Amino acid sequence: GVRVDDYSDVDTSVSPRAALVYRAAPSSTVKLMYGEAFRAPTVLELELRNSPQTVGNPDLKPERIRTFELAWLQEFAGAHVTATGYYSRLENQIVRAGSTNPFSFENGDAEDLSGVEFELGADLTPALSLRATYAHAFALVEHPRTMPRDTASLILNHRAGRLNSNLNMTWRSSVETDTPAPQTLDAA
């Protein structure tokens, strides 16, 4: 598929997506996927002028990401396992420029991201299902460093007619940050 976005304040963007799907066996599937996406700068990131803390940057370019994924899906009686590896190239990431007020925004350097994701799902009863996920990032975006390297979740879902209720538990590893520690004033 193809998505075309046309904004009046940034260039037109074409974002293709394609996938090859191979059914290796009735219960095994392999997918090779490619996709592109972009994020246009917000009006505040481009044009903010009357703030003592933030100033817009009219020269910002849209962020762009290109991603390759390879996934293996295996189905069992009432359960499934998925393993996915990915590689992404992020260009023109919009980052905060400056460490004191007023700060602005700028486009960062190109960065590579890669990792793996795993999922195990099972139908425990016709109305109750359980899903567990784990993801590990080998390479993370440097600016801002807000993503954990590892995440995991456990989701218990119950369906009763039109009512769907669930219990979600999420774990994530610590987040490395490059944000400076707050400054304290010494009383004289």
Side-chain angles (χ1 to χ4, degrees), residues 56-129:
N57 178 352
D59 297 325
L60 286 176
K61 298 174 188 163
E63 293 181 351
R64 185 147 201 83
I65 191 165
R66 292 173 174 84
T67 300
F68 292 91
E69 294 179 79
L70 179 62
W72 168 68
L73 296 80
Q74 181 68 49
E75 296 177 8
F76 303 97
H80 71 272
V81 174
T82 304
T84 305
Y86 66 88
Y87 166 80
S88 297
R89 176 84 170 166
L90 178 61
E91 297 172 342
N92 296 325
Q93 182 184 18
I94 298 170
V95 297
R96 182 177 166 167
S99 59
T100 60
N101 289 338
F103 72 87
S104 185
F105 300 95
E106 66 185 9
N107 290 109
D109 295 330
E111 298 190 52
D112 297 319
L113 301 88
S114 61
V116 292
E117 300 172 350
F118 302 96
E119 178 178 317
L120 171 62
D123 293 327
L124 305 176
T125 70
L128 191 65
S129 63

Side-chain angles (χ1 to χ4, degrees), residues 122-140:
D123 293 327
L124 305 176
T125 70
L128 191 65
S129 63
L130 182 66
R131 192 174 93 200
T133 66
Y134 172 75
H136 174 77
F138 298 112
L140 295 171

